[in-house]
Amino acid sequence: MNHDRAHSALLVLQWVIGLVTLAEAAAFAFSPTSAHGFAKTGLPDFIQLALAWSEMGAAILFLIPRVVVAGGWLLIGVLAFAIVFHSCTDG
């Protein structure tokens, strides 16, 4: 019974993380407010879209049971890149 509860809890956590990440990445990609905020960095628009789409792709992979590990590692990589990128552009 404990194993079933732990498995269920991890599955719920996986789906919450995947869906929230997917929704936030979509908002980052398609929101005019995000585009306006990103324009202040002085970087080309395609960087915002590349970052958002790669995050959405990794989140989708994270939700597929056969590739959850690959999706998780991809999410870690994309989010780490975003953190480093954000810290370098904040000045």
Side-chain angles (χ1 to χ4, degrees), residues 25-51:
F28 182 60
F30 302 118
S31 168
T33 306
S34 293
H36 180 68
F38 192 82
K40 292 180 181 179
T41 64
L43 296 168
D45 293 338
F46 77 88
I47 293 176
Q48 176 194 8
L49 292 175
L51 186 59

Side-chain angles (χ1 to χ4, degrees), residues 3-4 10 18-19 23 25 28-29 31 33 39-40 47 63 67 79 82:
H3 179 67
D4 290 339
L10 286 174
L19 291 176
F28 182 60
S31 168
T33 306
K40 292 180 181 179
I47 293 176
L63 295 174
V67 291
L79 294 176

Side-chain angles (χ1 to χ4, degrees), residues 17-19 21-22 25 54-64 71 75:
I17 289 172
L19 291 176
T21 304
L22 184 61
S54 61
E55 193 173 335
M56 285 189 283
I60 290 169
L61 288 177
F62 187 67
L63 295 174
I64 300 171
L75 265 179

